[in-house]
Amino acid sequence: MNKKRITSKELAKLAGVSSATISRAFSPDSRIGSATRDRILSVAREYGYQPNAIARSLNNQRSRLVALVVNAIGNPCEAEEQQLLVHRLQARQLLPIILCCADHADRLQLMRLASTYQVDHVVVFSDMVSMQDAVDIFHTTKPIIVSFEPLASDSVSSISIDGSAAADEIIAKIVGDGKTRFAYLSGTQSSWIDKLRRTWFADALAKRGLAFEAQAFGDYTYDSGFKEAVMLLHRSKVDAIICGNDVMAIGARDAARRILGKNTPGDIAIVGQDGIAMAGWDCNDLTTLSLDHVAFIDAVVELIERHDADIDGPHSITITCSVRWGSTA
Amino acid sequence: MNKKRITSKELAKLAGVSSATISRAFSPDSRIGSATRDRILSVAREYGYQPNAIARSLNNQRSRLVALVVNAIGNPCEAEEQQLLVHRLQARQLLPIILCCADHADRLQLMRLASTYQVDHVVVFSDMVSMQDAVDIFHTTKPIIVSFEPLASDSVSSISIDGSAAADEIIAKIVGDGKTRFAYLSGTQSSWIDKLRRTWFADALAKRGLAFEAQAFGDYTYDSGFKEAVMLLHRSKVDAIICGNDVMAIGARDAARRILGKNTPGDIAIVGQDGIAMAGWDCNDLTTLSLDHVAFIDAVVELIERHDADIDGPHSITITCSVRWGSTA
DNA sequence: CCTGTTTGTGTAAACGTGTACACAGAATAT
DNA sequence: ATATTCTGTGTACACGTTTACACAAACAGG
C-alpha cells in the first residue's frame, strides 16, 4: 500500500544496467539495444516502476501541464467546451489543471500559483481576466486567450468569435414577426464580452431603425434570468428579450410564462446565446445564437499545437456563430 | 515575453546571499533575519522571482497536486460537486488535475499517467473505476473513493451515501397518491452504484407489497431519458417512473408530456435523483432524492485533510440523502 | 572572562530524471 | 589490412529547490 516508489537507479541495479539506460528504455527514439529495452521494460513491470514525471519535468523544462482558467465548472455554457478540451488534451498526454475562482483577486493569486508549476500552456476562458494580467503572470508561457475579439500579439494567441451575422438573422426573423420593443438581459455589468455580444444585436436592430428600449443585468444564472425578466416585464412593455446566455433565457422564459402568463413566441420572443445541449431539450426548445463548440475547441487545440511546436502562424482564429431555431422566437 | 524564469541561485547573487537563504525567505517558519527576508522579498518582486514548484515537489516528495477522476465534466450531477471541491482544494493551495475519460481502458491509462506526477491525493468520483484498480495504480497515494458503499480499508478511504430513508419517504407519498405500477429507469447497465440506488426504492416498494414492474436502461443523459421513457410507456401501463438521475427524469417528463400527453403528477409520477440546481427551476420543479452537495464535499475535504496530516480516524463517512419535493410526484 | 545558548548564514548533498560526452566493440568501406 | 562509421552503454552533470550540518557572531549567565 504505502510502499515507496522505486527509482530509476534502483531499477538499474536490479536490471544490471546504468540508470541512463533505464531512461533510454522509456524514451522512444534513443539508441538502445532492443534486447536491453525489452529486458528493462519487463523488470520495470515486475517492480511497478514508472519514471517520475516531476523529475522529468524539472530536467526537461517541460511539464506537460496545461492551466485552464475558467469562470465556473458547473456552468453548462463552459462545461461542454471544457469537456471537449480536456479530452483533446488528454489524447495528447497533456494534463489539465483547472483554475476556477469566483473572486478576482483570488483568481490572480491562483494563476500565480499555477505559473509556479511551469505549465506548458495556459488557456484563459474567463472574460474576467485581462490579457495583460495573463501575460504578466505567465510571462514565460504565452497564454492562449479566448477573447471574442482578435487581440493576438506576439505574446498572446487568441480565438475570437463573431456572431454578428447570426444575430442579424435572428433579429430579422423577430422583426418580421412584428416585434418592435427589444430588451437586452446582460450576463454581467463589467465584462466587455457581454458588451460585444450586445453590440451584435444592437447593430442588427440599428440597421432596421430600432434600438434596445431596456436593459437589465444578471449573472448568467437561471435565477438571475428569472428575476430580471420579471422586473423588466413589469417595468416596460417589451415584446422581445435577448439574453446573455441560454440559462438566463430559460429563466426569463419561465418568468414570462409563470408570473405574467405570456407565451413564446406569440406574446414575447426570447433568445439565448451559447447553443448548449439543454437548449435543444423538448421542454426548452430555445432559439439561440449558437457557437460551434467543436470548431471552437479545434481552434484551441490548433493554437496549442502551434505553440508546442514553435510554429509561427496566424495567432488569431475566428469562429463564426450560427442560429439554432427553436420555438421561443 | 518569452523571458526565462529567474532561478534562486541567480536571485541569490543579486541579493548578495546564498540560495539557501532565498529558500528560507520563502518558507514561513525558518530561521532567517527579518531584515534579510524583507530585502530578499523585495528583490524577488523586482525580478519577478517565484520558487519553482516542480523543483520543490521533487525535493519535498509532495506535489500539492490532486487527481480528480470523474465521468464527465459537462454532466450537471457531478459538475456541482466538482465545482465545490475545486474551490475547497484551491483554498488549501492544492491544484486539481482533472481526469475524465469515456473509455475504460483509456481511463486507466490516464490514471497511470497522473500517478506519474506524484499526486498527493486522488479522489475517484467515477463508479466505473474499481477500488482495486485505483489502489493498484496509486499504490503510493491512498486514494479516496466516492463509493456510495462503505468499503474503506487501510489503503482506501470512502464516502458512502445512504438514500434509503429518503427513498422510503418518496415511495410512501406516491403510493399514498394511489399509484401502484412502478418502473425504474437506470443510468447504466453495469454500475453497482446504479444497482444500489435502485435497491433503496425496491426495498421501499417491497415494504408495501409492491415491486418494479418494468425496467429500462439509459446513459444518464436527457436524450436517453426521453427515449427510454417513450418505450417504457408504450410497452407497459406504469404510472410512476423512478429515474437514475435528474437529467433523465427531465427527459422522461418531457417524453410523457409531449409524446403521450400525460401530465405529472396526475397521470404519472416521475422522480429524479441527485438534487441538482436545475431540478428546482420553475420549468422542471422535480421531485428528487437529493444529495446534500455541501456535506458531501465537506466529507471529501475532511478525508483529504486527515490523509494529509496522517491522522488516523474513521476512513469512511456516510452522507444521508433527503427529499426535494416538486410537482412531478 | 569563560562557557553555553541562540541566531543567522553558508556549504553541500539530496530529490529522480535526461542527455552530452566518452569510449569500446561491431560493422562497413577502402 | 587499416580506416571509418555506427551501435550500445556507462559516467557525470544539470535541472531548481530544500534542508541537515557546520560555523561564526551575538548574547546570556555565572
Side-chain angles (χ1 to χ4, degrees):
Chain A
M1 337 262 133
N2 255 2
K3 260 185 65 179
K4 259 201 79 175
R5 203 169 281 269
I6 193 177
T7 90
S8 87
K9 234 169 241 173
E10 299 172 297
L11 189 71
K13 206 156 285 176
L14 291 167
V17 294
S18 78
S19 75
T21 304
I22 300 290
S23 169
R24 284 190 266 259
F26 284 88
S27 306
D29 312 312
S30 60
R31 295 202 320 206
I32 183 177
S34 55
T36 320
R37 161 171 284 151
D38 291 347
R39 181 162 46 90
I40 289 178
L41 290 182
S42 131
V43 180
R45 220 182 328 272
E46 181 180 352
Y47 288 92
Y49 170 79
Q50 298 248 149
N52 181 326
I54 295 288
R56 169 190 291 157
S57 302
L58 179 60
N59 185 299
N60 275 349
Q61 318 272 64
R62 298 186 82 243
S63 62
R64 306 200 69 82
L65 295 173
V66 181
L68 306 186
V69 182
V70 305
N71 271 318
I73 295 178
N75 207 339
C77 22
E78 301 186 33
E80 294 180 17
E81 282 142 17
Q82 288 166 29
Q83 166 94 333
L84 267 169
L85 181 55
V86 166
H87 277 147
R88 302 285 297 271
L89 290 178
Q90 289 174 346
R92 283 162 181 71
Q93 306 273 87
L94 293 170
L95 287 183
I97 292 183
I98 297 271
L99 309 181
C100 161
C101 211
D103 180 68
H104 184 61
D106 288 353
R107 178 160 17 210
L108 293 184
Q109 203 54 46
L110 206 50
M111 286 167 67
R112 267 184 277 270
L113 177 60
S115 85
T116 281
Y117 279 79
Q118 323 294 76
V119 293
D120 287 346
H121 310 279
V122 184
V123 180
V124 181
F125 274 94
S126 167
D127 55 335
M128 310 307 284
V129 176
S130 80
M131 175 187 71
Q132 194 54 51
D133 283 338
V135 171
D136 286 348
I137 293 177
F138 293 100
H139 49 89
T140 185
T141 311
K142 188 192 279 193
I144 293 174
I145 307 273
V146 171
S147 73
F148 285 59
E149 193 171 70
L151 42 64
S153 69
D154 52 340
S155 51
V156 189
S157 299
S158 89
I159 294 166
S160 57
I161 293 167
D162 183 2
S164 49
D168 196 73
E169 278 186 65
I170 291 175
I171 293 297
K173 161 75 160 57
I174 297 179
V175 169
D177 285 348
K179 306 281 199 296
T180 55
R181 315 190 57 175
F182 287 78
Y184 194 87
L185 178 41
S186 281
T188 59
Q189 285 270 9
S190 59
S191 147
W192 52 269
I193 287 186
D194 188 88
K195 289 202 186 84
L196 183 70
R197 288 181 158 203
R198 176 152 35 90
T199 306
W200 296 336
F201 289 95
D203 288 351
L205 285 174
K207 237 171 80 176
R208 294 165 177 83
L210 294 167
F212 284 118
E213 287 192 9
Q215 176 158 15
F217 295 94
D219 61 5
Y220 286 127
T221 63
Y222 173 89
D223 288 340
S224 78
F226 193 101
K227 202 186 78 189
E228 294 302 328
V230 169
M231 292 179 26
L232 209 50
L233 292 170
H234 273 145
R235 211 165 63 213
S236 54
K237 284 283 171 200
V238 299
D239 53 16
I241 303 181
I242 314 294
C243 303
N245 73 350
D246 287 342
V247 172
M248 286 202 303
I250 293 172
R253 190 268 329 265
D254 281 2
R257 190 161 60 192
R258 167 71 167 278
I259 305 293
L260 297 128
K262 293 188 175 213
N263 285 319
T264 55
D267 303 325
I268 186 164
I270 290 183
V271 175
Q273 292 186 67
D274 280 338
I276 60 180
M278 207 188 305
W281 292 3
D282 195 71
C283 51
N284 297 322
D285 195 24
L286 210 60
T287 292
T288 179
L289 191 153
S290 162
L291 177 61
D292 182 343
H293 298 88
V294 176
F296 180 81
I297 293 304
D298 279 348
V300 174
V301 172
E302 168 81 23
L303 288 181
I304 286 182
E305 285 188 335
R306 281 190 205 155
H307 186 195
D308 224 23
D310 257 327
I311 297 173
D312 252 359
H315 292 307
S316 179
I317 297 179
T318 297
I319 307 278
T320 304
C321 297
S322 59
V323 182
R324 180 199 184 274
W325 294 109
S327 59
T328 62
Chain B
M1 343 257 130
N2 255 2
K3 260 185 65 178
K4 259 201 78 176
R5 205 169 279 270
I6 192 176
T7 91
S8 88
K9 235 168 239 174
E10 299 172 298
L11 190 70
K13 206 156 283 178
L14 290 168
V17 294
S18 78
S19 74
T21 304
I22 300 291
S23 170
R24 284 190 265 258
F26 283 88
S27 306
D29 312 311
S30 59
R31 294 202 321 206
I32 183 175
S34 54
T36 320
R37 162 172 283 152
D38 291 347
R39 183 161 47 88
I40 290 178
L41 290 183
S42 131
V43 180
R45 219 181 330 270
E46 181 180 352
Y47 288 91
Y49 170 79
Q50 298 248 150
N52 181 325
I54 296 288
R56 170 189 291 156
S57 301
L58 177 59
N59 184 295
N60 276 349
Q61 318 271 65
R62 298 186 81 242
S63 63
R64 305 200 70 81
L65 295 173
V66 180
L68 306 186
V69 182
V70 305
N71 271 319
I73 295 178
N75 208 339
C77 21
E78 301 186 34
E80 294 178 19
E81 282 142 17
Q82 288 167 28
Q83 165 94 332
L84 266 168
L85 180 55
V86 166
H87 278 147
R88 302 286 297 272
L89 290 178
Q90 288 173 347
R92 284 162 181 70
Q93 306 273 86
L94 293 170
L95 288 184
I97 291 182
I98 298 270
L99 309 182
C100 163
C101 213
D103 180 68
H104 185 62
D106 289 352
R107 181 165 9 217
L108 293 184
Q109 204 52 47
L110 206 49
M111 286 167 65
R112 268 184 275 270
L113 176 59
S115 85
T116 282
Y117 279 79
Q118 321 295 88
V119 293
D120 288 344
H121 311 279
V122 184
V123 180
V124 181
F125 273 95
S126 168
D127 56 333
M128 308 308 282
V129 176
S130 81
M131 176 187 71
Q132 195 54 50
D133 283 338
V135 171
D136 285 349
I137 293 176
F138 293 100
H139 50 91
T140 185
T141 311
K142 187 193 280 192
I144 293 172
I145 307 271
V146 170
S147 73
F148 284 59
E149 193 171 70
L151 41 65
S153 71
D154 53 340
S155 52
V156 189
S157 299
S158 88
I159 294 167
S160 57
I161 293 167
D162 182 2
S164 50
D168 196 73
E169 278 186 64
I170 291 174
I171 293 297
K173 160 77 161 57
I174 296 179
V175 170
D177 285 348
K179 305 282 197 297
T180 55
R181 314 191 57 175
F182 287 77
Y184 194 87
L185 177 40
S186 281
T188 60
Q189 285 270 12
S190 59
S191 148
W192 51 269
I193 287 187
D194 189 89
K195 289 202 187 83
L196 184 69
R197 288 181 158 202
R198 177 152 34 90
T199 306
W200 296 335
F201 289 96
D203 288 351
L205 284 174
K207 236 171 80 177
R208 294 168 177 80
L210 294 168
F212 284 117
E213 287 195 8
Q215 177 158 13
F217 295 93
D219 60 5
Y220 286 127
T221 63
Y222 173 90
D223 287 340
S224 78
F226 193 102
K227 201 186 78 188
E228 294 301 328
V230 168
M231 290 176 32
L232 208 50
L233 291 171
H234 273 144
R235 209 166 62 213
S236 54
K237 283 283 171 201
V238 299
D239 51 15
I241 303 181
I242 314 294
C243 303
N245 72 351
D246 288 342
V247 172
M248 285 201 304
I250 293 172
R253 190 268 327 266
D254 281 1
R257 188 162 62 193
R258 166 71 167 278
I259 305 293
L260 297 128
K262 295 191 174 210
N263 285 318
T264 56
D267 303 325
I268 186 164
I270 291 183
V271 175
Q273 292 186 69
D274 280 338
I276 60 179
M278 206 188 307
W281 293 3
D282 195 72
C283 51
N284 297 322
D285 194 26
L286 210 61
T287 292
T288 179
L289 191 153
S290 162
L291 176 61
D292 183 342
H293 298 88
V294 175
F296 181 80
I297 293 304
D298 279 347
V300 174
V301 173
E302 168 82 23
L303 288 181
I304 286 182
E305 285 187 335
R306 280 191 204 152
H307 186 195
D308 224 22
D310 258 327
I311 297 172
D312 253 359
H315 293 307
S316 178
I317 297 180
T318 297
I319 307 278
T320 304
C321 297
S322 58
V323 182
R324 179 198 185 275
W325 294 108
S327 59
T328 61

